[in-house]
Amino acid sequence: MTRLWVDGGVDVKAMAQALTATTVKKQNGEMMSLLNKLQDDAREIIDMEVDVEDRHAVLAEVKMVPSEVPEFSPPTCRKRDLYQDTADFNELDDYVCSVAAKEQTTFTELVVDLTQNCESDLKKVRAIFRWITTKDLSVLGFKEGLGNDTAMGLLRGIKYGTEKYHTLFMRLCSYAGIPCVDIKGHAKLVGYEPGMKITEDTFRNTWNAVLIGGNWWPVQCEWGAR
């Protein structure tokens, strides 16, 4: 990745990435708080207007956003406990590819299109992951004047090094009501060779974890897009 430097050795692209990541984290928290408030308002309306015998069934249809998100920790079960066969996602993947062929003007429109037929958080996360990873940035063109407040604007930033995949993934998850965090660590990236020592300042990488069924599950869109 080409880096831009100014006086004093400041990495301009890294600064842009950090600024966007900080903004998205803040927006993620604000979005989850908003969804919680809307959820509480919906429950109050249901309590006032729905007969007692029907209340449980109606509440079951309301999307429950966790009021308290637990601290990140490794999952307590295996991936096979979430799903048995990747073929379970074939129909969803085909649908997401059809959505990816169209253009959505807002994050809300995009997430609604992606998740409107998803009956579980797992499938919502899958839909977001597949939309991001099906976009081939090597051939994708972008209109002039795209802002960073659009999904295509962030994809353009990823292509030119001012954004990161984990930032876009977190933003879309927040619109879908899926708790998402970023995880900073190390990975065997380009340039790593067997036996090389990984130090605090080398081979740094960031990925995501999403809360599904009470467990945090890792997601790496950058590698999926490769």
Side-chain angles (χ1 to χ4, degrees):
M1 180 180 71
T2 302
R3 293 188 179 276
L4 301 178
W5 300 87
V6 296
D7 291 343
V10 177
D11 185 340
V12 177
K13 287 188 176 182
M15 288 180 63
Q17 292 169 2
L19 178 60
T20 302
T22 299
T23 301
V24 170
K25 280 185 181 180
K26 180 181 178 181
Q27 291 175 340
N28 180 265
E30 293 172 346
M31 179 63 73
M32 297 304 293
S33 296
L34 174 60
L35 290 173
N36 270 303
K37 184 180 185 306
L38 293 175
Q39 177 179 288
D40 291 341
D41 291 345
R43 292 179 68 97
E44 288 182 9
I45 294 172
I46 291 169
D47 286 340
M48 289 187 296
E49 300 186 2
V50 178
D51 292 337
V52 174
E53 58 268 24
D54 298 328
R55 194 172 296 159
H56 180 75
V58 175
L59 284 172
E61 296 298 320
V62 178
K63 161 65 181 172
M64 292 292 108
V65 178
S67 57
E68 293 186 7
V69 178
E71 292 291 327
F72 171 76
S73 62
T76 59
C77 54
R78 301 294 185 103
K79 186 167 66 174
R80 62 173 175 264
D81 295 319
L82 283 180
Y83 63 90
Q84 296 296 317
D85 190 342
T86 55
D88 295 343
F89 301 115
N90 286 350
E91 184 177 350
L92 176 61
D93 288 355
D94 289 342
Y95 170 74
V96 170
C97 287
S98 70
V99 173
K102 305 173 186 177
E103 184 173 333
Q104 296 78 23
T105 56
T106 66
F107 286 111
T108 299
E109 181 184 355
L110 172 61
V111 172
V112 168
D113 282 353
L114 288 175
T115 65
Q116 60 185 340
N117 298 316
C118 296
E119 68 275 12
S120 67
D121 285 349
L122 173 62
K123 288 196 172 182
K124 290 180 180 180
V125 169
R126 173 71 178 192
I128 292 170
F129 173 83
R130 285 297 289 123
W131 183 86
I132 293 174
T133 57
T134 199
K135 293 289 189 178
D136 186 351
L137 298 185
S138 65
V139 299
L140 196 61
F142 299 96
K143 294 181 179 179
E144 292 292 331
L146 274 176
N148 289 337
D149 56 345
T150 66
M152 292 301 291
L154 283 183
L155 281 172
R156 180 192 59 190
I158 292 170
K159 180 173 183 176
Y160 295 112
T162 58
E163 314 290 353
K164 288 288 190 178
Y165 278 102
H166 65 85
T167 303
L168 176 58
F169 182 75
M170 177 181 286
R171 193 191 293 265
L172 295 181
C173 281
S174 69
Y175 277 82
I178 307 293
C180 178
V181 296
D182 56 17
I183 308 297
K184 298 184 184 299
H186 303 270
K188 295 176 180 179
L189 307 172
V190 174
Y192 176 84
E193 296 181 3
M196 290 182 66
K197 184 178 180 180
I198 295 178
T199 66
E200 181 64 27
D201 298 322
T202 60
F203 299 105
R204 297 191 62 80
N205 197 249
T206 303
W207 55 98
N208 298 102
V210 288
L211 189 66
I212 301 176
N215 280 288
W216 289 104
W217 297 94
V219 178
Q220 175 54 290
C221 290
E222 184 176 2
W223 290 0
R226 295 294 183 260

